[in-house]
Structure formats: C-alpha cells, structure tokens
Amino acid sequence: MVKAKRLGLKERYSLMTRGLDWETTYQPMDQVFPYDKYEGIKILDWDKWEDPFRLTMESYWKYQSEKERKLYAILDAFQQNNGQLNISDARYMSAVKLWLQGITPLEYAAHRGFAHAGRAFRGAGARVACQMQSIDELRHAQTQLHAFSHYNKFFNGMHGFAHIRDRAWYLSIPKSFFEDAMSAGPFEFVTSISFAFEYVLTNLLFMPFVSGAAYNGDMATTTFGFSAQSDESRHMTLGLEVVKFMLEQHEDNVPIVQAWLDKWFWRGYRLLGLVGTMMDYMLPKKVMSWKEAWEIYWEGNGIALFHDLNRYGIRLPKYHEVATKEKTRVTHELWATLYQYGNALGLHTWVPEDEELDWMSEKYGELFDTMYRPRLLFMREQENAGKRYFNNRLPMVCQVCQIPVFFTEPDDPQKICVRIVEWADTKHHCCSDGCADIFNREPEKFVQSLIPPQQIYRGEAGGARDIFEYAEWLHLKKDVDTGEYRGSPDHKNWEAWRSEKPTPQTNSDEAA
Amino acid sequence: MAVKHLGGGYEFKSENREEKYGGDINFYIQWEKHLLYSCPSAYRAPVDMILRDFLEQMFKLDYVTHPDTAELDIETLEWELDQKPWQPDLDKSLKENGIGHMTYLQIRSPGLNGMFGTGI
Amino acid sequence: MTDKVFIALQNNSEAQAIIEAILEDNSSAIANESPGMVKIDCPGRLIVRRETVAEKMGREFDLQEIHINLISIGGNIDETDDEFVLSWNS
C-alpha cells in the first residue's frame, strides 16, 4: 500500500465533517429537523460549529478500541485474581452499589439522549459529536456492568439494578435528573448534560471519587472510571463548544442559555451530593473531602470557566454561593438521611469508625464537632444498646430534585429548609430556592413528578403500606440487602474471607 | 414562565392530586430542632382524624427514639401551618382544623430543643 | 489572579512521558498527584508539544493518542498536529 501524504488535522476533520449533509428538497428542512428551533435558540450558520478535538470517526474507532482492549485486559486480571478481596473494606461496596444502581443507568440514559439530540440537530458537526458521545455512553454503561458483575457474585444488593432504578426512592434522584433533561429540547439537553453536568460538575465524580476507588484497592472501578473519563473530556469539550456556539450565533440566545445554566448548575449540584457522600462516608480510606473537592473543582476550576464566559454576558449560575455555603454540611446531612431510611436502601449504612470521625473533624471543623459528630455518636450508642436507629416514616421529598427535604437554611444549619410552591391549586414542596425557581419556571412540567413517598401513599407501589413492604416491592431482602452494615451477611462474609479462607463462596447469605 | 413545547397544549394535572387519596389527605409535619429526624415526615390520614389522636398514636410513635419525645407535652406546642403562625384545637379533626391535602405543619416544643445544644 | 487551566492524566508509565513533557514545556505548571492520577494546573495557558512527548517516549507520538490516558481538562482547547493548547481567554 502506498502511503499518501498525510493531511493536516484541521483539513482531515473538515473533510470528514463538512459537506456530508445536504439541504432536503422533498420535505422542508424544518419538517426533517422539527426539534432544533422551538426552544428559541437562533442559529445563523451551522458551519461555524467547531469540534476542538477534531476527532474524525476513523480516529475515534481507533482510540476507542485501544481503550477497550486495555480495559478488558485489566478486568480479566481482576476477576481471575479475586480482585474483590483487595478492596480496603466491604463497607466500600456501598459506593459501588450506589454507582451501579444510580450512575450506570444514567450512562444508558445519556446514550439514548445523545442519539436523540444527534438526530435533532441539522448541523453535521453537532450530529457527529453527538453520535460519538452516544456510542461512548453505551460503552460506559456496558463496561460498568461488566466490571460490577464480578462483585455481584460476592456482595448483596446488586441483583436488580434495572428493577429498582424505576422504583427506589433514592434512585428517583438521578433518574428524574436525566428524564428532565431528556424531555427538554436538544439544545437544553446538550447544555444540561454536556456543559452543566459534564464540564462543570463531573470532575467531582470522576476525579476525586475514582482516585478514591484506586486508593481503596478497587481496580475494576478505577479502570473503567478513568477509561470513561477519557471520553468525558471530549464530552466536556462538546459542552463548552455548544454553549459558546449558541452564545456566538445570536445575542437573543444569551438569556435562554443563562436560564439553562442556572437550572442545570443547581440540579447537577443537588445530584452530586450523593457523590460527596460516597467520598466522605463510603470510602473507608479517604482521599479528599467533599469540601476540598468543591473548593478545587468548583471554586477554582468551575468559576474560572464562568469568568471565561463572561465576555458573552454570561454570569455565574444563580445560587452558586448557596452551594458553597453548604459545602461543610451537605454530606453529613445526606449520610444521616441515608442512615435513618436504611430499611429501604439497596446498600448498607453505618456509623464511621473513630479515626474516620477524627478525619471529618479535621476537614470540617466546628460544625461537625458540635452537630454531626454528636449525632453519629448517639446513633452508635443506640446501636450498641441493640436499638439501631431507623426512621421508618416516609419523608417529605423535593418536587424538583426528588431528594428528601433534609437540607438546612443557607444561614442556619439547625433549620430545615422548605419552600412551598403552588400551581393550579395544589401545593408542592421544594428543598431550596434553587429548586423552587426551577419549579416556578416550568410548573406544568414538575407537577407531573412521580414522588416515591406519595406514590406509596396512593397505593401505587405494589400496594406497599409501609417501608418494609416497599422494600419487598424493590426486591430488597431485609437486613441482607438493606440496613446496617455491622452484622450484615456482607460484613460476616468479608470477615471470614479476610481471616484465612482463600476461596470465597459466591453470594451466600450467611458467613460459613 | 411556561414550558416551551411543540404542537398543541401542554397541560397536566398534578400527579399527587387529592382525588387519588380516596377521601384521605397527604400532609407533612416537622418538629423543629430535632434533627435526629432529618426530614419533615409525610403522612396519609383520614380527614376526620382527631389531631390529638394523630399526635399520640402516629407522630409520637414515629419519634420514639428521640429522648425528648417521652417528655413532650402536646398542649404547649407552638405551631405553624404552611409557614404561618397558627393555633389548632387538638380535639378537633384535621379537616376542622384546616389541615388539608399537602399542608405543611411545623411544631416547636418550648424547653425541648433537641440534643447537644444544637437542635439534634 | 490569572485563572488556571488544567489537564489530568492517568498515572501510568505511558502518561509519565506526557507529564514530563508538559512540565518541561510549561515552566509555571504544577503537578498534583493523587491515587491513580496526576492533575497539572497552570495559570492562563498550557501547551502539550508533540515533539517533546515523542522525545520523552523515544518513539513517534500522535497527539491524539493523548485521549487514551486523558482524564479531564479545564480550558478552551486548540489542537493541531503538533500542539495541544489549553487556555482561558479572560
């Protein structure tokens, strides 16, 4: 084969992404692409779209297949060498379970969402970028399921991730986040997922948390996590590109984009509370606190990004200062919530060990020492007295983010923050001004939310009358999949495996 | 503002409307300064339930873990209904007291301000 | 204060050459290691030069190979066959 003279990157990219499309004549373009105008975004010239990575489809396949080869070689080694025994502690598995139940389905939802957005845009450059991302997201869902399937042989609570995705109260948080985005128009979808979530916020998930997985000996998660993140930087770039593209195309786009950034920053931040709690509580060996991660990735890198967008007339997202005020509390408030509603969770909760509490005191200071540490110690006393604390009464849940309403007022950590919103004579409750604003902007959308405790009370959760029947409807076995970690089958098995037995039994409920 | 949409109207009824409760209501209560319980609690109850019965037979059982519950005097509670000061008659029904579907109640118990001096 | 751009790479032997090249070509860059990864912060602008990476690796290097070990970035990207640049315009 004769090797032709290689074209430059810019020419190659231009050849592969321009002139491939055409103006339709049998049907008007607006009929062929019915979704890319109704949101009010004005595009004058689609050819101004630039993919900064200039990755052609050919290179895309080449590098993706190399990533897959590397990943699966490691996953094979992990499985063959009983990699599950190398994690720091079986408590760590709660983080893995939450990832499998809560995050992996989002990858699949993103696959669907980008397939739809790719079809909806009439510009070829945007379509190619969405196509690549759609394929990436499917890859992420698959590699995560492959990686986690090994853990599923040894630990409880991982058996029905698809079943509980549509039923569990704590999974309605990520699910509703994505369904809100997917049911919006294509520009809002890409702004929400690629920009607000991936560019601004997922660094907090894939960097400190995956680094934490590495520190806790989870080779499987580390490997797919960083492999996925290598795609993520391309997605983030798409996010920044689509935002800049809209802002540069027409000044009328600026207020629309700003409203989306306000909304999706807040929704993404609320969702990431789960990740912060994984970092602070579910990693037995700590790498970085949520507070530190927030300072680095939002207060440093995130704000730098908004400074850059300032020249288009974009300001910092609304309520970012509230998010920053909450950085010393949110993970402690959320963990206490997961702990007390643990009878309906497909993962275990516990009171951290003393050294972990000391680490939190060091990272979080006075507020932790006066409020959260004493609360955790009270819970420990109860448990030691044989009365492990559970709250079996269903909570109020935010109509927008679907998180139980546990957040406290921005300037008063002792007062629960509730905002009442009204639409068509029915009252609803939100957890914050951020969520209340989102509701009030699109009330007809959010009155449709399926809120799990309300669903249960209406008799629409398999007829469950209380939290225990509800857990059965989730296919979660009491005290095996749910509840306290100490004394659970996962705990007993772990102790047995770590003591001397070289070959673990798979998925037994009782320690041998 | 309204939802931007394609095609005809975009109108939906509230998913949690009262008519789905078969005569009962869904309402919420929160005990201020008792953050051992992280969230306001949600209830479904008949509208003719007497408020005192609700407090004695439902609410107190749910909050049994908190040491303040044993000392709680429901006669001295300070109330808010939908975030406005309000005084109920404990011997009247939820409905007679004006507690309706999606009402949010807050109570404060003078002298009982949670544990550790920080409202836990 | 100039806002910082950043690039994060997996901490493996292949990426080591890229990291060394970046630190050599960007005198203000600071590498922060955490388990499994290295995050390099740099005020205003950061450049990855194909030539320097190839030299460190002792083989030809296509800049797009960076995708294999890349974890994340912060900044606007401008990429050609020879240079991968991150910058903030502000």
Side-chain angles (χ1 to χ4, degrees):
Chain A
M1 203 175 113
V2 183
K3 201 173 176 187
K5 186 182 176 316
R6 207 169 148 79
L7 295 164
L9 184 59
K10 286 180 182 174
E11 293 87 58
R12 289 202 305 280
Y13 173 73
S14 171
L15 282 171
M16 293 295 285
T17 56
R18 296 296 185 271
L20 298 174
D21 53 341
W22 62 93
E23 288 281 323
T24 57
T25 51
Y26 293 173
Q27 291 289 332
M29 285 290 273
D30 283 348
Q31 299 260 358
V32 179
F33 298 100
Y35 298 123
D36 69 356
K37 284 187 174 169
Y38 81 91
E39 296 168 278
I41 293 292
K42 294 176 182 161
I43 302 300
L44 304 174
D45 182 4
W46 275 100
D47 277 343
K48 290 282 192 311
W49 177 282
E50 273 282 335
D51 173 2
F53 274 126
R54 304 198 176 93
L55 198 64
T56 61
M57 233 32 224
E58 182 199 18
S59 311
Y60 172 78
W61 291 123
K62 180 176 144 194
Y63 293 120
Q64 293 306 97
S65 60
E66 188 163 341
K67 287 181 195 173
E68 288 283 278
R69 275 193 299 273
K70 287 181 77 167
L71 173 63
Y72 278 95
I74 295 169
L75 291 185
D76 281 349
F78 169 75
Q79 296 193 0
Q80 287 165 358
N81 292 288
N82 273 327
Q84 79 282 359
L85 293 177
N86 294 330
I87 56 171
S88 55
D89 184 50
R91 290 181 300 158
Y92 169 77
M93 287 308 298
S94 278
V96 171
K97 293 172 192 180
L98 187 52
W99 189 308
L100 167 71
Q101 297 165 356
I103 301 172
T104 302
L106 295 192
E107 306 276 11
Y108 187 71
H111 156 67
R112 293 176 58 206
F114 279 97
H116 177 69
R119 172 63 185 83
F121 289 130
R122 70 188 69 194
R127 284 214 298 278
V128 170
C130 287
Q131 179 190 16
M132 287 179 190
Q133 180 155 358
S134 180
I135 299 165
D136 289 339
E137 303 289 2
L138 186 58
R139 173 176 105 87
H140 298 174
Q142 289 173 337
T143 55
Q144 287 169 26
L145 290 172
H146 277 138
F148 292 145
S149 66
H150 182 70
Y151 286 123
N152 179 46
K153 297 173 195 165
F154 302 97
F155 298 96
N156 293 305
M158 307 179 78
H159 54 282
F161 78 96
H163 175 79
I164 60 173
R165 181 198 89 113
D166 293 327
R167 295 188 173 195
W169 61 278
Y170 60 106
L171 303 178
S172 78
I173 302 165
K175 179 180 148 98
S176 67
F177 172 90
F178 237 92
E179 291 186 349
D180 184 2
M182 288 168 80
S183 54
F187 281 108
E188 182 178 347
F189 175 78
V190 179
T191 306
S192 67
I193 303 303
S194 303
F195 183 78
F197 193 60
E198 302 202 287
Y199 205 119
V200 183
L201 297 167
T202 49
N203 278 328
L204 287 150
L205 173 62
F206 280 100
M207 295 174 67
F209 179 75
V210 176
S211 185
Y215 197 45
N216 282 274
D218 180 2
M219 193 159 78
T221 300
T222 307
T223 310
F224 79 65
F226 284 147
S227 185
Q229 188 64 20
S230 66
D231 297 341
E232 219 71 31
S233 21
R234 188 154 30 73
H235 304 168
M236 291 158 59
T237 309
L238 168 64
L240 183 53
E241 189 51 39
V242 75
V243 165
K244 288 197 293 188
F245 178 64
M246 288 187 286
L247 297 172
E248 282 168 4
Q249 283 290 309
H250 204 289
E251 61 183 7
D252 290 355
N253 295 341
V254 176
I256 301 175
V257 172
Q258 181 72 58
W260 288 341
L261 295 180
D262 289 344
K263 171 183 175 183
W264 288 100
F265 167 81
W266 187 256
R267 289 221 63 178
Y269 161 66
R270 274 290 184 248
L271 181 60
L272 279 181
L274 286 167
V275 177
T277 308
M278 287 159 82
M279 284 164 57
D280 280 348
Y281 282 87
M282 300 185 203
L283 297 182
K285 289 170 72 179
K286 323 283 185 200
V287 172
M288 181 185 275
S289 68
W290 166 256
K291 176 172 171 279
E292 290 167 315
W294 185 255
E295 286 163 358
I296 293 172
Y297 292 104
W298 169 252
E299 294 177 39
N301 301 140
I303 288 184
L305 169 63
F306 275 86
H307 285 167
D308 195 64
L309 293 174
N310 194 250
R311 67 201 143 106
Y312 299 109
I314 291 292
R315 52 157 174 75
L316 280 160
K318 264 175 107 174
Y319 304 118
H320 73 94
E321 70 287 353
V322 175
T324 294
K325 278 182 187 171
E326 290 180 352
K327 71 185 175 186
T328 54
R329 318 177 210 166
V330 63
T331 60
H332 309 296
E333 293 173 342
L334 178 50
W335 181 252
T337 305
L338 294 174
Y339 183 93
Q340 64 194 265
Y341 297 111
N343 278 323
L345 278 181
L347 47 94
H348 296 298
T349 48
W350 56 84
V351 172
E353 305 289 347
D354 283 335
E355 354 17 310
E356 296 175 277
L357 298 178
D358 292 343
W359 178 84
M360 291 179 195
S361 288
E362 185 199 317
K363 298 294 179 189
Y364 287 99
E366 194 193 339
L367 197 61
F368 181 78
D369 285 337
T370 56
M371 290 191 73
Y372 312 124
R373 188 171 185 138
R375 179 164 63 183
L376 289 164
L377 293 175
F378 176 83
M379 290 167 172
R380 182 191 284 170
E381 270 172 39
Q382 292 286 309
E383 187 198 342
N384 289 343
K387 300 182 288 185
R388 203 280 195 190
Y389 167 55
F390 287 108
N391 180 355
N392 293 322
R393 175 60 60 185
L394 308 177
M396 173 188 276
V397 168
C398 176
Q399 188 72 16
V400 172
C401 69
Q402 306 217 5
I403 297 175
V405 176
F406 65 77
F407 300 96
T408 45
E409 290 285 350
D411 295 308
D412 186 356
Q414 295 185 27
K415 188 170 175 59
I416 295 174
C417 182
V418 176
R419 297 290 179 265
I420 298 172
V421 291
E422 258 186 285
W423 178 252
D425 298 335
T426 301
K427 281 179 286 214
H428 301 277
H429 305 102
C430 291
C431 70
S432 55
D433 291 324
C435 281
D437 277 12
I438 294 168
F439 180 93
N440 287 327
R441 193 173 154 267
E442 295 182 309
E444 314 95 313
K445 185 169 190 177
F446 290 99
V447 296
Q448 301 170 66
S449 299
L450 196 59
I451 303 294
Q454 300 171 353
Q455 185 187 11
I456 295 167
Y457 282 145
R458 293 196 303 262
E460 295 166 6
R465 285 160 299 179
D466 60 28
I467 204 165
F468 300 103
E469 290 181 358
Y470 174 63
E472 282 173 29
W473 185 63
L474 304 181
H475 296 182
L476 295 177
K477 208 164 158 189
K478 187 174 183 316
D479 299 331
V480 173
D481 301 315
T482 68
E484 169 62 36
Y485 171 73
R486 288 190 187 82
S488 67
D490 275 3
H491 182 204
K492 289 180 190 161
N493 283 334
W494 181 251
E495 298 280 301
W497 299 336
R498 291 289 286 232
S499 56
E500 51 190 327
K501 297 183 69 180
T503 317
Q505 309 247 314
T506 54
N507 230 358
S508 63
D509 286 349
E510 297 299 324
Chain B
M1 273 200 64
V3 173
K4 284 183 185 166
H5 58 90
L6 279 170
Y10 187 95
E11 281 172 36
F12 295 89
K13 288 181 178 172
S14 168
E15 184 69 20
N16 198 45
R17 58 194 178 273
E18 189 174 355
E19 68 189 55
K20 292 186 173 186
Y21 281 80
D24 291 354
I25 50 167
N26 174 207
F27 69 101
Y28 300 84
I29 188 164
Q30 201 248 132
W31 190 4
E32 297 278 314
K33 301 272 180 195
H34 289 79
L35 289 172
L36 177 65
Y37 294 81
S38 289
C39 305
S41 293
Y43 290 88
R44 173 179 174 153
V47 290
D48 55 5
M49 187 173 210
I50 300 299
L51 184 55
R52 182 183 299 281
D53 293 345
F54 164 73
L55 291 168
E56 295 290 352
Q57 293 161 23
M58 294 179 89
F59 176 83
K60 277 191 178 178
L61 296 185
D62 289 334
Y63 286 76
V64 70
T65 303
H66 202 290
D68 283 354
T69 306
E71 299 173 44
L72 180 64
D73 177 3
I74 59 172
E75 305 293 341
T76 61
L77 291 175
E78 295 169 6
W79 292 79
E80 285 184 22
L81 183 145
D82 288 342
Q83 301 178 325
K84 290 182 191 77
W86 172 76
Q87 192 54 52
D89 181 339
L90 297 185
D91 294 310
K92 287 192 169 161
S93 71
L94 301 179
K95 189 178 178 181
E96 287 163 335
N97 270 303
I99 298 168
H101 186 58
M102 299 298 272
T103 290
Y104 173 45
L105 301 170
Q106 284 156 282
I107 52 172
R108 265 182 302 276
S109 47
L112 298 176
N113 291 312
M115 295 186 278
F116 319 117
T118 49
I120 296 296
Chain C
M1 196 190 91
T2 316
D3 284 322
K4 285 175 185 162
V5 297
F6 78 86
I7 185 165
L9 294 154
Q10 296 192 47
N11 198 356
N12 56 35
S13 61
E14 196 175 63
Q16 206 53 49
I18 306 174
I19 294 161
E20 280 174 31
I22 293 172
L23 294 176
E24 187 172 306
D25 288 335
N26 301 274
S27 55
S28 313
I30 293 169
N32 300 293
E33 285 199 34
S34 53
M37 68 174 209
V38 178
K39 178 172 184 261
I40 304 172
D41 294 291
C42 194
R45 187 169 185 275
L46 179 147
I47 184 165
V48 188
R49 277 186 229 282
R50 182 188 57 77
E51 228 179 342
T52 320
V53 179
E55 199 178 286
K56 300 283 172 199
M57 283 187 172
R59 65 164 173 88
E60 282 299 299
F61 179 73
D62 183 331
L63 262 185
Q64 292 199 326
E65 286 179 56
I66 205 168
H67 282 286
I68 294 169
N69 296 303
L70 185 61
I71 292 174
S72 188
I73 46 157
N76 296 299
I77 294 173
D78 189 30
E79 191 187 14
T80 66
D81 284 309
D82 297 315
E83 291 181 349
F84 178 94
V85 180
L86 289 167
S87 66
W88 291 127
N89 297 312
S90 52

